[in-house]
Amino acid sequence: KKMFPIQYNKEQLTDFSFSKEREIILTGNAGSYCSTSLSTCNTRKYHGLFATIQPQMDNNFYMLLSSLDETILKGDIEYKLAVHLYPNTLYPEGHLFMENFSYDKAPEWNFIMDGIKISKQIILCKDENRLLIKYKVIEADTQFKIRFQPFLAFRNVHAVRQADFSINSKATLINNGIEICLYKEFAPLFMQFSKRVEFVASPDWYYDIEYVKEMERGYDFKESLFVPGYFEAALKKGDELIFSAGLTEIRTASLKIKFAKELQANISLDSFENCLINAAKQFIITHDGKTEVMAGWHWFGRWGRDTFISLPGLMLAQDNIKIFKSALDTILKDLNHGLFPNTGSGTQASFNSVDAPLWFFWTLQQYAMRSVPIAIGIKNIWKEYGDKMISILEHFRKGTLHNIYMRENYLLWAGENNVALTWMDAMIDGIPVTPRTGLAVEINALWYNAIQFALEAATASGNKKFIEEWKKYPALIEQSFKETFWDEHKNYLADVVNEDFKDWSIRPNQLIAISLPYSPVENHIAKQVLEITERELLTPRGLRTLSPNDSNYKGSYNGDQRNRDLAYHNGTVWTWLLGPFAEEYLRQHGSDGIEKIKEIRFHFEEALFEYGIGTIAEIYEGDAPHKACGAISQAWSVAELLRIKHLLKSFETSNQNKPGQKIPLKKDLENISSL
């Protein structure tokens, strides 16, 4: 059992092979982030102290301040606290001065050298694009100087910077700091201190800084960064110095109070649950009047399906209805041809997701289930979102983009050449790695669930026209679904059917199909599907995307993008799939299933210390020990672990805990079907 708050000792910190593998992510809801490794060496191009959205350019994140290198000057001796990786060289090696690290309300390092002990605490303001770092002198046998060198990038986080002598290298003096802007299209960067500092202009480029994670991933990994000069201040025992980096100038006298307020407002990472809640908040970005869910840090933006799958766990499980609805309203503005953007928004939107609109119905169901009484919640949902629901169903029935349409057997066909429309969407050279064109099992279950919920909501609202037009479909879909996907000899569901071809790969998509509030299969089928997915796919970190007994299975996830994409949905473990698994497992096993789900969830405590500190990774390797990989913090991974806790709580307090019965929060909790 891990101890909270999160902490690491000197032995771990000074072991670079250990500390470089653990990463920190801090985010601000206004549209900025700060990230580095436990060693403070930036090991990714995405790492840096201050990255922010530049709305005057686009909605991408741009790295402005890559690092702030600190040097302690005691007499004629210099102690460099920073860490950089150059070709075959680690310099400086500031991690060797680290005494301990703790992460309660903010990450904090303690450094010790020659009679001096100093702490460094980092905060990213929640509602303002501003980074704050507090340095506190805990021990000092004499006065000393501290020097700060800001390493500037001013580039898109997905790229690396090379030396450019055409930049605007001039720094303008402001109150206790400087203003600088390397390119005119950027917002300027304001760097200031809470006390008087001396700035010495000494512009220079630092070449060939290496990002080892990018090298491992097969991307450009060398960067040159610009240093405009350095700041110096004198400190003694008991002194505090606060550094600010932001897009606007700040009154430096207020920095001490501002830091204290921001720190107080942060969640204490003193438990597994608080770590998940804190991580959940980090995916919400509110800017330019929009509320968006970042699918994952560092390289995922807003994804349609991820938004809908994540929102119930991220927001509803914390009873944060306001942000839940704000995020829904934001993405609803981009509904087009019955489809939500898979990625991007506005003119940058890509509508290549057949399942995002169907997950929208599921998200509304989760919303309704938290209403009291549920019947009123469902009625209100139809009133507020009924026109969008009808629009999606009509477009799918008649046909929309990417050859998405309802066939004569009432099942949903989706796909065309060289397009991946489901969540298994990895592409190599423009060709899907896991082709799923045709009738996909979870897509058709989501289609069935969407129609059933729409009928339920229309019934609650008395919309007889919609009911008359759509009431025949569920029974027809049930019949076709079973005929198309079920094999009574194999005892599981086909993954994809394309005319005469049936893909019998054992994948978790059939688990999604049986776990929905409305499922098109009988309980005896669901039970057998659960058994085979548990046996073949379940791991302590989630479900594999393909059975290890399949010849296409890949149990490791490493190398360049091609090798990683080959494994992405061919064995790699996804944590978010534990949500559907837990829901169906509790339904099938009743009270006897509670301890197993609790145990699976409990073991994720260890994961908080292994990769993204205090959060849950995007994916894990299929082979034991199931090493974390991909994005260090993924929205639906965190969300489903939070939703599972809510499911367990509801299940334990309900009388409906007999095997084979639907768990609480499903559609028949209040006998809705009798409306």
Side-chain angles (χ1 to χ4, degrees):
K1 181 176 174 62
K2 295 294 184 178
M3 299 298 293
F4 294 94
I6 292 171
Q7 47 194 314
Y8 297 89
N9 60 36
K10 181 179 180 65
E11 182 180 358
Q12 295 168 319
L13 294 167
T14 55
D15 180 356
F16 187 68
S17 64
F18 178 93
S19 57
K20 74 179 176 63
E21 295 297 325
R22 285 146 180 85
E23 302 174 48
I24 295 160
I25 179 74
L26 307 176
T27 73
N29 299 133
S32 56
Y33 80 79
C34 166
S35 186
T36 188
S37 71
L38 182 61
S39 69
T40 72
C41 178
N42 291 341
T43 59
R44 300 184 189 270
K45 60 190 175 186
Y46 299 98
H47 282 168
L49 287 178
F50 188 57
T52 182
I53 292 173
Q54 298 279 296
Q56 76 282 6
M57 296 166 64
D58 51 35
N59 284 323
N60 288 320
F61 281 91
Y62 287 81
M63 186 62 64
L64 302 186
L65 178 62
S66 180
S67 64
L68 185 69
D69 285 20
E70 311 96 342
T71 302
I72 303 295
L73 299 96
K74 186 178 182 183
D76 296 329
I77 303 176
E78 294 184 352
Y79 300 94
K80 296 180 179 293
L81 305 187
V83 186
H84 292 294
L85 185 62
Y86 294 94
N88 301 313
T89 303
L90 192 63
Y91 179 83
E93 295 180 279
H95 64 295
L96 298 179
F97 299 112
M98 293 179 181
E99 183 68 15
N100 55 63
F101 170 90
S102 62
Y103 192 169
D104 187 1
K105 291 195 170 188
E108 180 177 351
W109 292 261
N110 283 314
F111 299 84
I112 292 182
M113 70 236 74
D114 191 19
I116 297 172
K117 182 176 181 180
I118 189 168
S119 69
K120 172 183 176 181
Q121 206 170 20
I122 300 180
I123 280 179
L124 201 62
C125 297
K126 293 303 178 189
D127 299 318
E128 176 188 0
N129 289 319
R130 187 174 303 279
L131 167 82
L132 299 175
I133 305 177
K134 184 173 82 171
Y135 298 88
K136 182 176 181 179
V137 183
I138 301 169
E139 296 288 344
D141 52 12
T142 185
Q143 190 181 65
F144 62 93
K145 286 186 177 181
I146 184 167
R147 178 181 295 165
F148 301 94
Q149 289 176 287
F151 282 61
L152 305 181
F154 277 76
R155 46 84 174 167
N156 191 296
V157 295
H158 301 297
V160 289
R161 154 72 54 215
Q162 301 304 328
D164 181 0
F165 295 96
S166 69
I167 62 167
N168 175 22
S169 61
K170 183 180 179 181
T172 303
L173 292 176
I174 57 175
N175 184 30
N176 291 354
I178 64 171
E179 172 190 348
I180 191 166
C181 189
L182 302 190
Y183 297 97
K184 62 181 180 180
E185 60 266 29
F186 280 81
L189 177 65
F190 295 84
M191 293 181 287
Q192 298 170 271
F193 291 83
S194 58
K195 295 182 179 180
R196 181 181 174 276
V197 294
E198 179 186 4
F199 175 72
V200 178
S202 179
D204 205 356
W205 285 93
Y206 283 68
Y207 299 90
D208 291 339
I209 293 173
E210 293 187 348
Y211 302 125
V212 63
K213 290 296 180 183
E214 304 307 325
M215 180 172 61
E216 293 171 359
R217 286 159 51 83
Y219 298 130
D220 291 340
F221 62 93
K222 290 188 178 183
E223 176 156 74
S224 298
L225 295 171
F226 178 70
V227 177
Y230 60 88
F231 304 94
E232 272 191 1
L235 296 176
K236 63 182 184 303
K237 181 178 179 178
D239 282 351
E240 292 183 359
L241 182 65
I242 297 174
F243 169 78
S244 165
L247 301 182
T248 57
E249 188 173 354
I250 193 170
R251 188 170 62 87
T252 56
S254 69
L255 282 174
K256 185 174 182 180
I257 294 175
K258 185 171 183 62
F259 187 94
K261 286 184 176 180
E262 292 284 347
L263 183 65
Q264 182 62 33
N266 283 352
I267 298 172
S268 177
L269 304 191
D270 57 1
S271 68
F272 174 57
E273 300 304 335
N274 276 358
C275 285
L276 292 182
I277 292 170
N278 179 68
K281 292 178 180 294
Q282 291 185 329
F283 298 109
I284 305 300
I285 299 293
T286 301
H287 70 102
D288 197 26
K290 299 183 293 185
T291 300
E292 297 181 318
V293 177
M294 302 298 293
W297 296 103
H298 304 85
W299 48 80
F300 288 99
R302 186 193 78 179
W303 284 59
R305 76 168 61 86
D306 299 58
T307 294
F308 295 125
I309 293 173
S310 300
L311 272 175
L314 295 182
M315 293 294 112
L316 291 182
Q318 278 67 249
D319 293 322
N320 199 329
I321 305 300
K322 182 178 179 181
I323 293 180
F324 172 86
K325 292 195 68 178
S326 180
L328 274 188
D329 292 342
T330 295
I331 199 169
L332 275 168
K333 294 175 183 176
D334 284 324
L335 180 64
N336 191 10
H337 299 293
L339 299 173
F340 290 103
N342 188 29
T343 59
S345 61
T347 58
Q348 303 298 316
S350 298
F351 292 90
N352 57 325
S353 172
V354 62
D355 51 343
L358 302 176
W359 280 113
F360 168 63
F361 288 80
W362 178 85
T363 305
L364 293 179
Q365 284 171 299
Q366 306 306 306
Y367 180 32
M369 291 167 186
R370 282 154 179 79
S371 304
V372 180
I374 292 179
I376 299 299
I378 293 174
K379 184 176 182 179
N380 289 337
I381 282 173
W382 184 261
K383 181 179 179 181
E384 189 168 358
Y385 301 108
D387 58 334
K388 305 296 185 183
M389 297 163 72
I390 292 172
S391 175
I392 292 168
L393 295 179
E394 290 287 0
H395 275 93
F396 276 40
R397 181 171 65 172
K398 295 177 181 177
T400 185
L401 305 177
H402 302 300
N403 205 26
I404 298 169
Y405 69 98
M406 187 184 75
R407 303 197 96 183
E408 294 82 359
N409 62 356
Y410 306 99
L411 297 182
L412 204 62
W413 176 281
E416 53 193 7
N417 290 336
N418 302 331
V419 176
L421 296 177
T422 74
W423 79 280
M424 292 188 166
D425 56 0
M427 306 274 285
I428 295 179
D429 299 328
I431 300 174
V433 177
T434 50
R436 304 190 71 228
T437 294
L439 306 172
V441 65
E442 86 281 12
I443 301 304
N444 277 282
L446 284 162
W447 168 239
Y448 174 85
N449 179 68
I451 294 172
Q452 285 279 45
F453 180 64
L455 284 167
E456 182 179 338
T459 300
S461 300
N463 190 319
K464 295 181 180 180
K465 179 182 177 183
F466 180 85
I467 296 167
E468 286 301 314
E469 189 173 353
W470 286 87
K471 66 181 181 180
K472 68 177 182 180
Y473 287 98
L476 296 169
I477 294 172
E478 283 182 27
Q479 180 179 346
S480 292
F481 188 94
K482 184 175 180 180
E483 292 172 353
T484 302
F485 294 104
W486 176 245
D487 187 299
E488 61 184 11
H489 301 293
K490 295 181 182 294
N491 290 328
Y492 64 94
L493 298 168
D495 189 61
V496 180
V497 176
N498 188 333
E499 305 305 347
D500 294 332
F501 170 75
K502 291 191 176 185
D503 182 358
W504 290 105
S505 303
I506 299 176
R507 297 185 180 277
N509 302 308
Q510 59 183 318
L511 176 67
I512 298 171
I514 65 170
S515 67
L516 296 168
Y518 290 99
S519 175
V521 299
E522 301 99 322
N523 190 63
H524 75 93
I525 292 177
K527 184 176 182 179
Q528 293 176 85
V529 168
L530 178 66
E531 288 175 356
I532 196 166
T533 52
E534 180 183 2
R535 183 174 68 248
E536 302 278 343
L537 306 179
L538 182 65
T539 77
R541 290 289 180 262
L543 273 78
R544 297 184 180 99
T545 39
L546 184 63
S547 168
N549 297 317
D550 195 294
S551 61
N552 292 317
Y553 171 79
K554 298 186 182 302
S556 62
Y557 181 87
N558 52 42
D560 61 17
Q561 184 167 350
R562 179 184 180 85
N563 285 324
R564 287 181 282 113
D565 283 345
L566 285 171
Y568 204 40
H569 299 112
N570 282 322
T572 299
V573 171
W574 294 72
T575 298
W576 79 270
L577 294 167
L578 284 174
F581 176 81
E583 196 153 10
E584 189 60 27
Y585 193 88
L586 290 171
R587 185 171 80 88
Q588 293 294 342
H589 292 273
S591 298
D592 294 339
I594 292 176
E595 289 307 312
K596 181 180 181 70
I597 301 304
K598 280 185 174 181
E599 181 181 2
I600 290 173
R601 193 174 181 275
F602 170 77
H603 283 301
F604 274 90
E605 279 197 6
E606 297 176 354
L608 301 179
F609 295 77
E610 296 172 348
Y611 192 42
I613 297 174
T615 188
I616 306 297
E618 174 194 9
I619 49 178
Y620 295 82
E621 290 192 328
D623 289 347
H626 309 295
K627 179 183 175 182
C629 39
I632 66 169
S633 184
Q634 197 76 2
W636 56 14
S637 298
V638 173
E640 286 298 79
L641 288 177
L642 285 166
R643 191 173 73 89
I644 288 171
K645 181 186 179 183
H646 189 83
L647 288 172
L648 284 166
K649 182 179 178 181
S650 300
F651 190 79
E652 289 176 314
T653 57
S654 171
N655 292 324
Q656 292 184 326
N657 56 5
K658 296 179 181 179
Q661 292 187 2
K662 290 190 179 297
I663 67 172
L665 304 184
K666 289 208 172 184
K667 55 106 178 173
D668 54 348
L669 184 60
E670 287 188 7
N671 242 351
I672 296 300
S673 58
S674 66
L675 287 172

